[in-house]
Amino acid sequence: MTDFELRWDTVAPLFAALGDDRALAPHGGAGTADATLLAIATGDVPQPPRLPEGGGISEAPLGEYDAVELTIWGRPAAKGLIAFGEGVAAIGGFEFAAGDADGALGAAVVSALAEEAFLEGAEWLVTLVDGDPAEVPAYLAEGWREAAKVSAS
């Protein structure tokens, strides 16, 4: 597998499909970027998802994107969305019904999303993190790397 090569015209529509209504573009020049695009090879995301006791994963196709939901004892605990492109899948729309300070719930959702991406033929996962990449959410774990700075309007 080669290094991730950003093709913005392929990636940007995926975030729009996930409901990000900002006009996103690669950040050029000096100044602070609005967000950071992170990338990881789908095979580098730990598998299988580590579920908490009583945890279950469900997946649902919802038109332009799919949703993955983690439940604990039948109650929603976390969810994420995924949209597929050619060789790449974008993830986002993360929501947590319960606290996820250690990132365990989110990590299980990301793992399930990576598995779905792999099964759909995507070699890479990408996601947007607002602001500085030093503030990467705990659920993304290790292995994600900066692919681009992003400006939004």
Side-chain angles (χ1 to χ4, degrees):
M1 183 177 302
T2 60
D3 286 336
F4 177 72
E5 185 177 318
L6 178 61
R7 290 183 20 228
W8 191 253
D9 60 326
T10 301
V11 172
L14 299 179
F15 289 108
L18 295 178
D20 193 330
D21 58 357
R22 301 176 289 180
L24 302 170
H27 179 71
T32 305
D34 296 314
T36 301
L37 181 75
L38 301 176
I40 192 169
T42 54
D44 290 348
V45 177
Q47 293 293 327
R50 293 184 188 183
L51 302 177
E53 183 179 356
I57 293 280
S58 59
E59 301 167 0
L62 299 170
E64 292 184 333
Y65 61 88
D66 290 1
V68 168
E69 183 177 71
L70 168 67
T71 57
I72 300 176
W73 304 115
R75 295 183 180 201
K79 83 171 192 177
L81 307 177
I82 186 168
F84 303 101
E86 188 174 321
V88 64
I91 62 174
F94 296 101
E95 294 180 17
F96 302 96
D100 193 32
D102 66 356
L105 299 177
V109 170
V110 170
S111 180
L113 291 167
E115 179 181 36
E116 192 169 336
F118 177 79
L119 293 173
E120 290 290 329
E123 294 181 23
W124 294 95
L125 280 181
V126 293
T127 194
L128 284 174
V129 176
D130 288 335
D132 188 323
E135 300 171 17
V136 173
Y139 57 82
L140 291 179
E142 295 180 27
W144 290 84
R145 57 194 157 95
E146 183 178 315
K149 298 286 188 188
V150 178
S151 293
S153 57

